Each structure stands twice: as structure tokens, then as C-alpha cells.
Amino acid sequence: MLDSFYRGRRVCVTGHTGFKGGWLSDWLTFLGARVQGISLDPPSSPNYFNAVGLADRVIDARIDICEAKAVSAALASFEPEIVFHLAAQPLVRRSYAEAVETFDTNVMGTARILEAVRATPSVRVVVVVTSDKCYENREWPWAYRENDPMGGHDPYSASKGCCELLVNAWRRSFFQGPGAPRLASARAGNVIGGGDWGADRLVPDCVRAFGAGETLRIRSPQAVRPWQHVLEAVSGYLLLAKRLWDEPRLATGWNFGPVDPDSWTVEQVVRQVAACFGRGEYCVDAGEKLHEAHWLRLDASRAVLELGWRPRLSVAEAIAMTMDWHKAHARGESACALHALTMAQIEAYCAH
């Protein structure tokens, strides 16, 4: 799928200290790329970045993406050919408490990254990662396609819809014509995988509660989400950037989601995690209910047909891989061993 395309290339990843950005950075180094990371400190403790010793394999720049001069200086110094923009405030419930900050990071932070790219002649391809929640949610069981309208009820979802509109405006205004970078956006599902300890995220909540022998409290047991392993999403980002290098017509928005039957409910995921973990009790939280979508599915048929991408893992397989990783961490495995496990899971995924 990726052959030798990334070998020797200079790639910048914003959000490299986060869960998904960490996996992307490690896969890039596995493919032979030189990786520069731009991010704040890791968002949790423990975290993927420290657990696998990623600082040893990337150029680790701790910069707030809202600091325009610092971002521009970092890109000018490294001269990346490809930029993956993942840095964001990624949590729905946190966005209710920090609404303005969420828009500052997710919308204006993206604008500053794109402005820094405009001032960096070496950049040829940019992939901005948004979210499956960027769509105006109609609470219907059908999957959203790339041409469905942007929207968002909660501040996080609205910020991601705004981010998509911003990317489209910058693409039409500044990223056209010969020599201009190719700018695309990518929308993935509810990503799970080893090394995610994010707050208010279902699988990390399961890992914390079941590991401590506590009862997990879940909010919406019948809510449906497009669950997928982190490698499914990251493989889509990597393939999209590779194809964009030679095909500017692909500079648009893309969905990378699971096949429709794999859109499980929250309760189904919790039961499967408990089965893999070997124990786990849960109950429904009857407390304060902030608005969260009930139905959410993505239609990734365009990526399958036009990019040659395909989802490879069932939700059950994704959960099993995730729990294998977390059980290794719980046993006290070293950063070297956890990195080796990550590489083994990447190799197994590619061979699937």
C-alpha cells in the first residue's frame, strides 16, 4: 500500500504527543521517514508518547499551535515535505467546559498551521485530520458521506465542522495552481488502540475501571459509533498523503470509517472489552446528561473506490489488539517492549 514512498521524506506531525499522533509518528518512522513533532505536552499520564519512548525517534518540538511565530519558525527550520495536522482539543464533554478554548485550538490553531504552511515552500502535501463529528447530525441510522453538510450540536463537533469549512476556504483561496501544496481533510471514526488513556473516552474508561476492580459508569449504552482501530485511521491518512503527492484532484475531504455492520453500540463494546480483560462490571450513569449524538456512522466507500483503502479489522479484532497492548503495559513491560508490540501490530495489520 505504501511501499517506499515515505523513506527519507521529511514529515511534520502536529499532535505527536497525543494517542493518534503518536501511532502515526511511529508508523512513519517505521517507514523510514524523518519526523518532526509539534505539540503540547502529552495530554494524560500515562500516555502513549512516554510509554513507547517516542521522543527517541522524532524531533520533539513542544509548541502551542496557536503560537503562530513559533510554528512558522519550526516549519521553516525543518522544511517538511508533508504535514499531518492532528493537534486538537479532542473531547466532546471537555468542550462544554472549555468552549472558547476548544474553538481557539481546533479552528484558529488550524488556520495558523495552514498559514505557516503557506510560508514554507518545501511543503507539497497537507492532511488536516478532523472528526466524524464534523457532520450535521440528523440522528438517522444512515452513514454520512463526504458531501453531507457540516454542523455540530456541541462545541467540539461545531469546532470540527468549522475546521472543515476553514480547510475548504484555504484550499480554494490559497492552495490552488501549480506549485501550491495539495490540501485534504480526513474524517475517521471513534478510534481505539493501545496507549489511549484519554479522559471521557470509552475504552480508556474501561481500562481504568476494570484494572482497579471498579464498576464502570456508562452514559448512553445504546449509542452507536463507528468504532475502529487506530491503524485503520492512520493507514487512511498515510495513503491519502501518498496519493495527493501526484494527484491534486484528490485534494478534498475523505471519510475513513469501518464497514457498516461494525458500528457497535457502547454497551457491546464494553462487554467485549470486559471479555478480553477477563473481568469488568458496568452500570448506566443516571446523572447529568449533556447532549451527545445517538447515531453516528461514516460512509467510507469513496476512499475504498478512489484511493484503494479498505478497513481490515472487525471491532472485535480491534478491541483484542487494544487489550493485548494495555495488558502488556499493565504487566510493566518496558518502553522498548511496548514499541516492539506496536511495530508487531503494524506489521500484522499490513499483512491482514
Side-chain angles (χ1 to χ4, degrees):
M1 180 177 69
L2 299 170
D3 50 61
S4 60
F5 172 77
Y6 284 98
R7 188 172 301 138
R9 294 207 187 276
R10 299 184 307 279
V11 182
C12 176
V13 177
T14 74
H16 70 295
T17 62
F19 159 60
K20 193 159 32 171
W23 276 83
L24 173 59
S25 298
D26 254 337
W27 197 340
L28 283 164
T29 62
F30 177 72
L31 293 170
R34 293 179 57 205
V35 178
Q36 174 198 51
I38 293 177
S39 184
L40 297 175
D41 293 339
S44 65
S45 182
N47 56 78
Y48 179 87
F49 182 84
N50 290 331
V52 299
L54 184 55
D56 295 336
R57 297 181 293 281
V58 302
I59 299 171
D60 179 21
R62 300 298 171 89
I63 298 172
D64 187 335
I65 60 170
C66 291
E67 296 178 2
K69 290 183 179 179
V71 170
S72 294
L75 290 188
S77 174
F78 184 64
E79 296 184 324
E81 301 163 274
I82 299 170
V83 175
F84 291 99
H85 175 44
L86 286 80
Q89 192 296 94
L91 302 174
V92 171
R93 290 177 69 83
R94 180 178 169 185
S95 76
Y96 281 100
E98 301 176 8
V100 173
E101 293 85 350
T102 296
F103 276 86
D104 281 344
T105 299
N106 294 355
V107 183
M108 295 310 300
T110 300
R112 290 183 174 92
I113 290 293
L114 294 182
E115 286 297 279
V117 165
R118 289 180 63 201
T120 309
S122 60
V123 179
R124 180 160 173 166
V125 167
V126 185
V127 175
V128 175
V129 174
T130 62
S131 169
D132 55 349
K133 297 174 181 65
C134 67
Y135 293 104
E136 180 64 33
N137 195 298
R138 308 293 187 184
E139 290 293 0
W140 58 28
W142 299 287
Y144 293 93
R145 297 174 296 177
E146 286 88 348
N147 59 354
D148 282 321
M150 300 294 107
H153 183 285
D154 57 87
Y156 169 77
S157 301
S159 77
K160 288 301 187 178
C162 288
C163 185
E164 285 284 355
L165 295 175
L166 184 152
V167 168
N168 192 43
W170 255 250
R171 179 168 48 235
R172 291 180 172 184
S173 301
F174 309 119
F175 289 77
Q176 298 284 344
R182 289 82 189 264
L183 172 60
S185 60
R187 309 143 191 175
N190 278 47
V191 171
I192 64 174
D196 184 9
W197 284 278
D200 286 325
R201 290 172 61 85
L202 182 61
V203 173
D205 285 348
C206 290
V207 170
R208 280 186 288 266
F210 299 164
E214 299 172 351
T215 299
L216 173 69
R217 303 176 72 86
I218 58 175
R219 296 186 299 271
S220 304
Q222 298 310 308
V224 174
R225 296 288 183 270
W227 310 97
Q228 60 186 150
H229 194 272
V230 62
L231 291 176
E232 300 277 39
V234 169
S235 70
Y237 308 157
L238 290 168
L239 180 58
L240 175 58
K242 175 192 172 184
R243 294 286 303 276
L244 271 173
W245 188 270
D246 292 317
E247 299 178 72
R249 68 178 183 84
L250 302 177
T252 182
W254 296 87
N255 288 343
F256 297 101
V259 292
D260 189 60
D262 279 345
S263 296
W264 286 18
T265 67
V266 165
E267 188 168 27
Q268 285 176 301
V269 171
V270 171
R271 288 179 174 175
Q272 188 69 21
V273 171
C276 291
F277 201 83
R279 64 179 186 274
E281 301 290 334
Y282 69 93
C283 67
V284 177
D285 187 347
E288 179 187 10
K289 296 282 187 182
L290 298 174
H291 177 273
E292 294 184 85
H294 178 78
W295 291 96
L296 184 54
R297 289 189 171 107
L298 285 181
D299 183 341
S301 57
R302 182 164 169 253
V304 173
L305 292 172
E306 295 190 38
L307 297 180
W309 176 85
R310 64 178 176 87
R312 298 170 182 236
L313 303 172
S314 67
V315 175
E317 289 172 316
I319 292 172
M321 289 172 64
T322 300
M323 297 314 299
D324 285 346
W325 201 102
H326 276 283
K327 285 189 283 188
H329 180 271
R331 291 194 300 269
E333 298 281 1
S334 66
C336 182
L338 290 172
H339 176 241
L341 177 56
T342 295
M343 295 300 101
Q345 290 192 344
I346 290 173
E347 289 185 305
Y349 174 81
C350 292
H352 199 282

